Amino acid sequence: MAKKGMPLEADPSILENNLRFVKDEFEDEFNNIFQPLTQERPSKVIKPTTGFCIKAFQVKNGKKIFINICHTDGIPAPIDISETDLTEILQSDEPHSYKVPMSLSDPRLATDKSGKQETACDIAINTKFFKKIEKGGLFQNFFITLIFEALDNKYDIEINEENWLILKNRTVFGTLVPHRIQDRDVQKVKEYNGETGAGETSNNKKPLIEEIAESDYKKLSDKRTIKPEHKLIQETQNGEVNKLIAQFQLPECVSAAEIALNVNDDRLLVECKKHKYYFDGFVNVFVDADNCKSHFDLETKTLTVDLPVLNKK
């Protein structure tokens, strides 16, 4: 699936050198929620079970890659919907609204029976959802498209979608690796799925499904949202862009805790569900997501996101 989003428009003639990230009583809370953190978070190691193996080919070099689809109860299941529901979502204006919790291992070399080394990667999902996709049909096709997109986005591995197959006589290529999952991310997905405790399910499930370690995405049932006023400032050095500064006006927000912010390599998502603000945009450079900073100014009601640039696309 192609990435969708509203492109941010940069004005290279604007340069604001007086932007400062002033510490106040809200900043620590803000950074804990939004900034990628370097300190350890509570996590658990899961050991998935083999499922099936996909043999595919990379677009850039034509080399093979083996994708091991495995499963575990340690990852939450997405909300159970029918093929009719999925069809309606995929045909809507927001086909990416339906997200599947998953964990991707880093690509690695594994040795086949003849001693030849090939690239392999494991993708772990919930066991219940695995049973749904292993039957084939729309859910399997949707999921395979989703993982091809995930490999491209996360590891820059573009898969030839016209040349792949599920191996009939092999459930795994190489050996599955353990996955480390943050308890915070798992708990967040469970809460949005309406789980109130171990083995308990709320009757008021919220139709939100998240990828592990990804942002808080908009509910499928969300009504009309408001695009906040925004601007993107780029700083240059020696003719090269070295930093982007994104600013969003959120006049109804009274606390940084009301705002959700997600920054990926080239994507910026800002959302405030309480006041229905929503912005999802892509930029034309790679940003250093691990070192970005953000601050919400209570006086001006302005969210400022400092995005160091790695290199141009």
Side-chain angles (χ1 to χ4, degrees), residues 55-260:
K55 177 183 176 182
F57 295 87
Q58 303 179 51
V59 171
K60 289 183 178 180
N61 52 29
K63 292 183 178 180
K64 289 184 287 188
I65 179 171
F66 293 87
I67 307 168
N68 297 317
I69 308 302
C70 48
H71 57 94
T72 172
D73 288 330
I75 293 177
I79 293 175
D80 191 18
I81 62 175
S82 66
E83 284 197 358
T84 300
D85 294 332
L86 181 58
T87 299
E88 292 178 356
I89 293 170
L90 296 180
Q91 292 176 349
S92 71
D93 293 333
E94 298 180 354
H96 282 68
S97 297
Y98 185 77
K99 297 289 179 178
V100 178
M102 66 176 71
S103 175
L104 282 69
S105 75
D106 291 332
R108 64 190 184 280
L109 290 177
T111 305
D112 61 16
K113 294 180 180 179
S114 65
K116 186 177 180 180
Q117 288 191 322
E118 302 285 359
T119 301
C121 180
D122 305 339
I123 298 182
I125 56 176
N126 176 268
T127 298
K128 181 179 179 181
F129 184 69
F130 172 79
K131 292 179 179 178
K132 196 166 190 173
I133 67 168
E134 71 174 340
K135 300 176 182 178
L138 178 61
F139 273 96
Q140 185 183 95
N141 293 334
F142 163 75
F143 177 71
I144 291 175
T145 301
L146 190 66
I147 63 174
F148 286 173
E149 180 179 341
L151 288 171
D152 188 12
N153 290 340
K154 188 169 185 178
Y155 298 115
D156 195 26
I157 298 177
E158 185 179 359
I159 302 298
N160 184 345
E161 298 187 23
E162 303 298 324
N163 188 15
W164 60 270
L165 59 90
I166 297 176
L167 301 181
K168 294 182 178 180
N169 299 318
R170 170 174 283 186
T171 60
V172 63
F173 183 85
T175 303
L176 295 180
V177 299
H179 291 238
R180 182 176 293 277
I181 304 297
Q182 289 187 3
D183 287 339
R184 175 177 175 270
D185 294 318
V186 172
Q187 182 59 34
K188 187 164 61 173
V189 176
K190 287 183 176 180
E191 289 172 356
Y192 281 116
N193 282 354
E195 297 180 30
T196 56
E200 298 178 8
T201 303
S202 168
N203 290 328
N204 298 317
K205 290 185 177 180
K206 298 181 179 181
L208 172 66
I209 299 171
E210 295 187 337
E211 279 187 87
I212 295 297
E214 287 294 326
S215 172
D216 181 11
Y217 281 81
K218 196 166 54 167
K219 296 188 299 181
L220 299 182
S221 62
D222 269 351
K223 297 181 180 180
R224 189 172 182 177
T225 57
I226 302 170
K227 181 185 72 173
E229 293 185 10
H230 63 280
K231 65 179 177 180
L232 184 67
I233 305 158
Q234 65 180 32
E235 290 188 359
T236 59
Q237 185 176 17
N238 299 325
E240 296 290 332
V241 179
N242 66 346
K243 184 170 68 172
L244 300 177
I245 300 171
Q247 293 185 323
F248 299 87
Q249 290 293 320
L250 306 171
E252 299 297 324
C253 292
V254 297
S255 168
E258 295 179 343
I259 308 167

Side-chain angles (χ1 to χ4, degrees), residues 8 232 244 265-267 281-287 307 313:
L8 291 171
L232 184 67
L244 300 177
D265 291 344
D266 63 348
R267 181 182 182 186
F282 292 91
V283 294
N284 63 351
V285 293
F286 284 126
V287 301
L307 305 163
K313 284 185 171 182

